[in-house]
Amino acid sequence: MKLYTLKTEIDAVPVADDFIAIEAPRPDCPDGGIVARVIYLSLDPYVGSRLRGRHMGEAPPKPMEGAIPGAIVGQVVKSRAAGVSEGDFVHAMEGGWQEFAAIPAGHFRKLDPKSAPLRAHIGVLGMPGLTAWAGITQLAKVMAGDVVLIDAAAGAVGGTAGQIARIKGASKAVGIAGGPEKCRLVTETYGFDACIDYKAEGWQAALKEALPEGASVFFENVSAEMAMTALSVSQTYVRGVLCGLADAYQSSGPAPHALNAGAIIGKRAQLRGLVVYDFYSRWDEYAAEAAAWIRDGKLAFAEDHADGLDQAPALFAKLMRGANVGKPIITVSEEQA
Amino acid sequence: MKLYTLKTEIDAVPVADDFIAIEAPRPDCPDGGIVARVIYLSLDPYVGSRLRGRHMGEAPPKPMEGAIPGAIVGQVVKSRAAGVSEGDFVHAMEGGWQEFAAIPAGHFRKLDPKSAPLRAHIGVLGMPGLTAWAGITQLAKVMAGDVVLIDAAAGAVGGTAGQIARIKGASKAVGIAGGPEKCRLVTETYGFDACIDYKAEGWQAALKEALPEGASVFFENVSAEMAMTALSVSQTYVRGVLCGLADAYQSSGPAPHALNAGAIIGKRAQLRGLVVYDFYSRWDEYAAEAAAWIRDGKLAFAEDHADGLDQAPALFAKLMRGANVGKPIITVSEEQA
């Protein structure tokens, strides 16, 4: 089978040329686990960091050997797991850029193909969606009347976070995104009240104008510097979710990640660090709730889709440049083989 | 009457020579307010920042005119306030380095001289104590089993915070302080389980050893850098109270105040900025609760005391050098005139 791996160890933001396809034997089925035919492959910003050994202490894949990590939706072709049969659909975080993936016991979830489109489990019902839900409902505890500010709002996490905030009663959701096309997605598809284009001149004044009452919640996906901008247009007692530092995932220089303690004290801010791993045990609960929102037309999602595993390197490089609009998804094989 | 003021505007950490005594008329009594004879004067670290115009946007006093700010305990000599008579004892945040202070309506609290020693209202029942209480009970919500780490632990805020944490059920309180004399105060008088001398070699290893289980709460009084050290010896989900940045109050250089966002996310930390002003409405409640702790021998306090307003410049300079052991208090006049 085909598998994409790193050509060599890398120390900079990955580009398409860092990846190479190799032939590998189809994996054996682990005790209590499964082998899945990969249908959809997720490309996510944190992988850019992980490939350089900079994400949560997780090792990068071995060059010319290990598959590039990535979440998948797949169909079981071999099962040694109780209650799982050939033909069942599954979601797994450690699937990888390959045609078939061996998933150990406890590292996959069975999916109900009738509850929502299968590919939704890559994005809005997948890790980005769970992250958004955890930050908005479990950490910030958004409620009626909250005014929510979210950056990287065109991304799968940010776009879902704003929609969930509105579903949970927020009176206003303001996004920050890069460029008019992304901002249109944020307001037109995701239904935010406003979106500020941070690549436009005077965007900080525009942000202030869009939030005359100040944000009561901010959801940070980009950088410590952006978090401090969010703090500056926030109300006293603002609750801030520190979710991600995409700028650092996508850049090679040293990232200071510096939050200003004096500003946090002055604003009486509450900041909480979010790691989505902590919420994996609640994934089925979230996916069931959000699948109903999708069916009811309350929760929209956008994809930047490409067909075929061979498209992964280029689509990943596009993500690293921030040029994608919508969640990057690779269709590796057909839903029905 | 005598009043201490700034000789000129200052831009560096204040030294004794920055202050000068001038003669000023005794203040008039404001509508609805009082005039108090100052008995005890509090010297506090944040004033070092405020004199340079760097504290919460509050203006420094006008040179050769305005009194140096400072909380006081005093006795009413003139009252135009309902329910307040000559001879009553009061506490006021905006008293100042002077013999008599005019206090506007709503800016003082009447004290019960029988509930606790009057001078306790400068420290352990005063703003430092209220700050400690707010951080431990209202922000960190310390409960049974918490392991609490507190820096500037020999200070009035830190020392009280550790004691209140133990009263509220914390299983362990570890302090950080500078020098063996301060550390003795922390363990022997304030009853912390351990105190790490940050001026001693290998103190960071000693800190780690003192907290094999990790801190579940840290209370930060010194600097962003110290907060990051506290984070590094903390449990996942640690609650951090950002209370003060004494290093910045006491230094002239630019203070980065930089908290590392990546480390906060990795630790799933919860950080909250504390401004004690927000808790002024609960001062009487706190003082009553803490006065009972003092009577029961559960809450100790130490003073670095000097007699006479003329001692204020030297004692304040000592505080700015971090050389005080115990809360700096000036006795300006006798309790019974």
Side-chain angles (χ1 to χ4, degrees), chain B residues 257-273:
Chain B
H257 303 330
L259 301 167
N260 184 303
I264 293 167
I265 295 175
K267 212 39 98 83
R268 291 83 153 151
Q270 305 180 27
L271 301 189
R272 298 186 62 174

Side-chain angles (χ1 to χ4, degrees), chain B residues 127-179:
Chain B
M127 192 188 64
L130 182 67
T131 304
W133 174 84
I136 292 294
T137 70
Q138 304 298 302
L139 267 60
K141 299 184 175 71
V142 168
M143 60 187 111
D146 269 320
V147 175
V148 181
L149 173 61
I150 298 170
D151 61 8
V157 174
T160 307
Q163 295 180 81
I164 294 177
R166 292 303 302 267
I167 290 168
K168 294 296 179 184
S171 60
K172 191 169 177 179
V174 172
I176 301 174

Side-chain angles (χ1 to χ4, degrees), chain A residues 56 220 223-224 236-237 242-245 249 255-275 277-278, chain B residues 56 220 223-224 236-237 242-245 249 255-275 277-278:
Chain A
M56 306 285 297
E220 182 56 47
S223 66
T236 306
Y237 305 113
L242 302 178
C243 172
L245 301 167
Y249 310 152
H257 303 329
L259 302 167
N260 184 303
I264 293 167
I265 294 175
K267 208 45 87 93
R268 290 85 153 150
Q270 305 181 28
L271 301 189
R272 298 185 64 175
L274 168 60
V275 175
Y277 301 173
D278 299 346
Chain B
M56 305 285 297
E220 182 55 48
S223 67
T236 306
Y237 304 113
L242 302 178
C243 173
L245 299 167
Y249 309 153
H257 303 330
L259 301 167
N260 184 303
I264 293 167
I265 295 175
K267 212 39 98 83
R268 291 83 153 151
Q270 305 180 27
L271 301 189
R272 298 186 62 174
L274 168 60
V275 175
Y277 301 174
D278 299 346

Side-chain angles (χ1 to χ4, degrees), chain B residues 40-70:
Chain B
Y40 299 114
L41 168 65
S42 178
L43 305 180
D44 295 281
Y46 75 90
V47 173
S49 208
R50 178 161 169 195
L51 292 180
R52 289 177 279 159
R54 288 204 205 172
H55 187 73
M56 305 285 297
E58 292 162 354
K62 210 170 160 189
M64 297 310 291
E65 189 175 322
I68 305 302

Side-chain angles (χ1 to χ4, degrees), chain B residues 170-210:
Chain B
S171 60
K172 191 169 177 179
V174 172
I176 301 174
E181 190 184 358
K182 286 189 180 181
C183 278
R184 258 196 310 279
L185 174 68
V186 171
T187 53
E188 290 175 13
T189 303
Y190 297 149
F192 282 50
D193 299 273
C195 185
I196 307 302
D197 176 359
Y198 73 85
K199 292 180 173 171
E201 218 175 312
W203 71 273
Q204 288 182 308
L207 179 63
K208 211 165 176 176
E209 255 169 60

